[in-house]
C-alpha cells in the first residue's frame, strides 16, 4: 500500500471524499502555500487574504463532501478556481464598504488597481462565456451569439435564421440551460464587475 506522500493530489482528494481525513491533511499541507500566495496576489492585503483563504477551503471541503469534484486535472487548479470565485464574492461584499480618503497619497493608485482588477475579472468572464458558447450545438450557439454579441432582437434573429420567433426563443432557452450546466460543471463565476 502506498503512503500519502507517494500519492497524487487527485488520489488524496478522492480518498478524502471516501472519508479519509488524514488524506486531506496531507493535501492541505501540499497546496496551502500555493493557494495562499495566489490569494495574497489577488487581495494584496494579508487580513483579506486570510479570510479568502479560509473561505476557499471551507468551500472546497463542502464541494468535495457534496461530490462536486471529479478528477479532471490538477487538484490545485480546481482549488485556485474556488479561491478566485471566493475572492470575487468577498470583493463584491466589501466593495461597498470602501471609503476613499483623498488625503492618502496612493488612493488614485488604489482606484486604478480596483478598476484593473474589475477589467481582469470581466475579461475572464467574457473568455469563459465564449468557451461555453463554443461548446453549444450550432443552432444554439448561433442564436446566443446574435442575441448577446450582436444585440439582435428575437424577431431579427428569426428573420436572419429563417425560423419562427418561438423557435429562436426555444433555441436561446436551451442555450442558456446548457451554458448554465457547463458553468456549474466547471465551477465558473460568470458575474461581470461594474
Amino acid at each position: 500500500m502506498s503512503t500519502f506522500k507517494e500519492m497524487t493530489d487527485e488520489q488524496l482528494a478522492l480518498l478524502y471524499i471516501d472519508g479519509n481525513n488524514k488524506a486531506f491533511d496531507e493535501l492541505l499541507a501540499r497546496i496551502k502555500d500555493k493557494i495562499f500566495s495566489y490569494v495574497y496576489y489577488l487581495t494584496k492585503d494579508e487580513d483579506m487574504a486570510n479570510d479568502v483563504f479560509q473561505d476557499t477551503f471551507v468551500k472546497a471541503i463542502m464541494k468535495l463532501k457534496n461530490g462536486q469534484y471529479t478528477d479532471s486535472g490538477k487538484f490545485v487548479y480546481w482549488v485556485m478556481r474556488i479561491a478566485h470565485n471566493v475572492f470575487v464574492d468577498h470583493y463584491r461584499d466589501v466593495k461597498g464598504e470602501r471609503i476613499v480618503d483623498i488625503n492618502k497619497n496612493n488612493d488614485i493608485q488604489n482606484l486604478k488597481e480596483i478598476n484593473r482588477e474589475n477589467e481582469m475579472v470581466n475579461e475572464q468572464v467574457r473568455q469563459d462565456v465564449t468557451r461555453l458558447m463554443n461548446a453549444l450545438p450550432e443552432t444554439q450557439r448561433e442564436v446566443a451569439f446574435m442575441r448577446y454579441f450582436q444585440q439582435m432582437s428575437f424577431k431579427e434573429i428569426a428573420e436572419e435564421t429563417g425560423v419562427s420567433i418561438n423557435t429562436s426563443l426555444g433555441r436561446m432557452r436551451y442555450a442558456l440551460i446548457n451554458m448554465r450546466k457547463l458553468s456549474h460543471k466547471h465551477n465558473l463565476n460568470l458575474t461581470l464587475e461594474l
Side-chain angles (χ1 to χ4, degrees):
M1 183 176 161
S2 60
T3 65
F4 289 150
K5 299 269 185 223
E6 297 167 346
M7 293 182 168
T8 66
D9 294 349
E10 293 70 32
Q11 290 170 324
L12 290 171
L14 295 173
L15 269 178
Y16 176 68
I17 290 169
D18 289 337
N20 190 326
N21 290 336
K22 289 185 180 183
F24 187 78
D25 293 341
E26 173 66 24
L27 194 54
L28 180 61
R30 284 184 191 182
I31 67 170
K32 67 180 180 181
D33 291 339
K34 286 180 188 172
I35 301 300
F36 188 82
S37 295
Y38 176 69
V39 168
Y40 187 77
Y41 168 78
L42 291 174
T43 63
K44 296 177 181 51
D45 177 272
E46 192 168 348
D47 291 335
M48 185 187 286
N50 283 318
D51 290 345
V52 171
F53 178 79
Q54 289 175 10
D55 289 348
T56 295
F57 277 95
V58 168
K59 286 203 176 196
I61 289 168
M62 288 171 40
K63 286 179 180 293
L64 286 167
K65 288 297 186 183
N66 290 332
Q68 294 176 297
Y69 173 74
T70 54
D71 183 4
S72 59
K74 289 274 190 185
F75 179 78
V76 70
Y77 296 128
W78 181 76
V79 177
M80 280 185 179
R81 188 66 185 166
I82 293 171
H84 175 82
N85 291 341
V86 169
F87 165 72
V88 169
D89 291 344
H90 187 77
Y91 178 76
R92 201 176 289 125
D93 290 343
V94 299
K95 185 166 70 170
E97 297 172 11
R98 290 187 184 218
I99 298 172
V100 177
D101 181 357
I102 57 173
N103 295 324
K104 292 187 178 178
N105 295 334
N106 62 353
D107 280 335
I108 292 176
Q109 183 62 33
N110 287 343
L111 290 174
K112 286 179 183 177
E113 287 177 16
I114 290 168
N115 192 39
R116 179 67 187 129
E117 288 172 5
N118 287 350
E119 289 173 11
M120 290 170 58
V121 168
N122 290 345
E123 182 56 32
Q124 182 64 49
V125 168
R126 284 185 201 93
Q127 290 174 8
D128 290 343
V129 168
T130 301
R131 279 195 298 274
L132 291 175
M133 282 178 54
N134 287 335
L136 294 172
E138 185 174 340
T139 55
Q140 293 174 19
R141 181 174 57 243
E142 181 180 44
V143 172
F145 180 81
M146 289 178 179
R147 182 72 177 146
Y148 287 110
F149 290 102
Q150 295 180 329
Q151 299 178 344
M152 294 171 69
S153 70
F154 284 105
K155 181 180 179 185
E156 292 169 326
I157 293 169
E159 291 171 359
E160 182 73 27
T161 58
V163 298
S164 70
I165 292 177
N166 285 339
T167 301
S168 295
L169 288 167
R171 288 177 180 173
M172 188 67 206
R173 179 176 176 266
Y174 286 113
L176 291 173
I177 289 169
N178 289 331
M179 289 174 69
R180 223 174 264 126
K181 284 180 186 175
L182 287 169
S183 69
H184 289 302
K185 179 180 177 184
H186 297 287
N187 239 1
L188 300 176
N189 181 345
L190 300 178
T191 306
L192 292 171
E193 291 292 326
L194 301 176

